[in-house]
């Protein structure tokens, strides 16, 4: 992934340095450069490519910054790893048979799931309102119809694709928290936090959003994921038990409804 990141950024940077032309938006014509090398990557709009390079550079820094942040343990995790109860805690984690998730990774998953649910809710409200503006603020440059955009996305297919990527992650995170809470309850006899149930409304919003966005591709991908997910849950005996399967099945059916 690091090599791919450097390759993509280097490709765009070479295109900027080896620009074929710059587009003049005021007079709608290309200002050509005669010094470019044909066999190297080149661009026909140097200014737009510089903007794209800055965007991709920001995404790369964000990705590797998050990765570096996730690899570092929190203060409480470092204290637990150096405490005298480290061996007993390790034995306890093995006995409950559900591997824990690092605290920082759990925070990141919470952020993605909650923000995905809020994004879907905003897109749904915007679609029901019928406004052609993105987030009721920005006019789209290419699409004037109110059905083409969704939330902050200029094209509805992009919004549906983004939510379809977060949805399996949110469902898996919810299932892990349900299993972990049950394992802790069986081992210690105490009732754990039920904060994970706040993910259910977010999951329902993300399931409903591709339907309401009217994105054909998003609808097909979502339908396939729901079908395969229901089959996987029903036929995997070790995944969830009785009431948990029924509850998750009801959530999926309510979302489809």
């Amino acid at each position: 992934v690091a090599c791919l990141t450097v390759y993509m950024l280097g490709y765009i940077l070479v295109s900027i340095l080896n620009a074929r032309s710059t587009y003049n938006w005021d007079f709608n014509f290309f200002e050509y450069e005669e010094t470019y090398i044909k066999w190297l990557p080149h661009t026909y709009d140097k200014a737009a490519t510089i903007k794209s390079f800055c965007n991709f550079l920001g995404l790369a820094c964000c990705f590797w910054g998050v990765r570096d942040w996730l690899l570092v343990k929190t203060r409480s995790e470092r204290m637990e790893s150096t405490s005298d109860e480290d061996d007993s805690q390790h034995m306890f984690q093995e006995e409950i048979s559900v591997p824990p998730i690092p605290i920082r990774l759990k925070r990141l998953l919470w952020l993605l799931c909650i923000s995905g649910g809020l994004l879907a809710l905003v897109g749904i409200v915007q679609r029901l309102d019928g406004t052609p503006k993105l987030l009721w603020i920005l006019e789209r440059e290419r699409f004037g119809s109110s059905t083409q955009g969704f939330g902050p996305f200029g094209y509805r297919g992009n919004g549906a694709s983004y939510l379809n990527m977060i949805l399996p992650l949110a469902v898996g995170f919810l299932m892990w928290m349900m299993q972990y809470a049950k394992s802790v309850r069986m081992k210690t006899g105490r009732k754990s936090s039920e904060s994970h149930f706040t993910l259910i409304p977010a999951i329902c919003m993300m399931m409903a959003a591709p339907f309401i966005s009217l994105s054909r591709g998003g609808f097909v991908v979502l339908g396939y994921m729901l079908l395969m997910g229901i089959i996987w849950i029903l036929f995997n005996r070790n995944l969830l038990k009785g009431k948990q399967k029924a509850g998750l099945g009801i959530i999926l059916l309510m979302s489809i409804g």
Side-chain angles (χ1 to χ4, degrees):
V1 177
C3 294
L4 183 61
T5 303
V6 174
Y7 171 77
M8 292 177 62
L9 293 176
Y11 189 95
I12 302 175
L13 184 59
V14 171
S15 299
I16 296 173
L17 299 177
N18 190 43
R20 176 69 176 90
S21 65
T22 300
Y23 188 72
N24 190 320
W25 288 93
D26 295 330
F27 299 98
N28 295 327
F29 73 95
F30 291 96
E31 300 176 359
Y32 290 96
E33 299 286 343
E34 299 297 336
T35 57
Y36 86 106
I37 303 175
K38 293 183 179 181
W39 57 272
L40 285 177
H42 52 272
T43 176
Y44 280 82
D45 191 350
K46 185 175 182 180
T49 309
I50 291 175
K51 183 178 179 181
S52 298
F53 177 79
C54 294
N55 291 336
F56 280 103
L57 180 62
L59 288 173
C61 293
C62 179
F63 173 81
W64 289 105
V66 170
R67 178 186 179 276
D68 182 71
W69 178 74
L70 289 174
L71 293 177
V72 179
K73 293 183 177 181
T74 61
R75 181 179 300 177
S76 59
E77 288 175 327
R78 291 196 300 268
M79 293 177 62
E80 290 178 0
S81 62
T82 57
S83 62
D84 296 333
E85 299 178 356
D86 183 59
D87 294 338
S88 60
Q89 180 71 12
H90 180 67
M91 293 175 60
F92 169 71
Q93 298 293 353
E94 289 183 349
E95 290 179 2
I96 63 177
S97 72
V98 179
I101 293 180
I103 295 177
R104 290 189 171 184
L105 178 57
K106 192 183 299 183
R107 292 173 182 172
L108 179 62
L109 294 177
W110 271 108
L111 176 64
L112 290 174
C113 296
I114 297 300
S115 63
L118 293 176
L119 179 64
L121 178 61
V122 170
I124 292 172
V125 173
Q126 178 182 337
R127 175 54 55 83
L128 296 177
D129 181 65
T131 176
K133 296 182 179 180
L134 302 180
L135 298 178
W136 298 273
I137 299 174
L138 182 63
E139 290 280 1
R140 289 189 301 277
E141 296 179 0
R142 295 185 179 182
F143 305 105
S145 174
S146 60
T147 61
Q148 294 296 327
F150 189 77
F153 295 93
Y155 182 60
R156 60 194 179 188
N158 296 339
S161 299
Y162 179 75
L163 294 176
N164 282 338
M165 288 192 292
I166 300 181
L167 180 59
L169 181 69
V171 175
F173 188 39
L174 174 63
M175 294 170 63
W176 175 86
M177 287 191 289
M178 293 169 62
Q179 290 180 315
Y180 191 77
K182 182 180 179 180
S183 299
V184 172
R185 184 170 62 252
M186 292 175 60
K187 175 61 181 178
T188 63
R190 58 183 177 85
K191 191 174 182 180
S192 60
S193 173
E194 296 183 348
S195 59
H196 52 274
F197 288 111
T198 57
L199 289 179
I200 294 178
I203 292 175
C204 292
M205 289 294 103
M206 286 187 282
M207 286 184 178
F211 289 98
I212 300 176
S213 68
L214 302 179
S215 171
R216 293 181 293 272
F219 171 81
V220 172
V221 172
L222 176 64
Y224 176 79
M225 288 196 303
L226 290 178
L227 179 62
M228 298 303 298
I230 292 174
I231 294 175
W232 176 260
I233 292 172
L234 293 179
F235 289 94
N236 194 328
R237 297 181 178 180
N238 298 324
L239 196 61
L240 293 175
K241 305 297 181 181
K243 295 181 179 180
Q244 294 177 334
K245 285 187 177 181
L248 197 56
I250 291 174
I251 293 173
L252 294 176
L253 292 176
M254 288 176 59
S255 302
I256 294 174

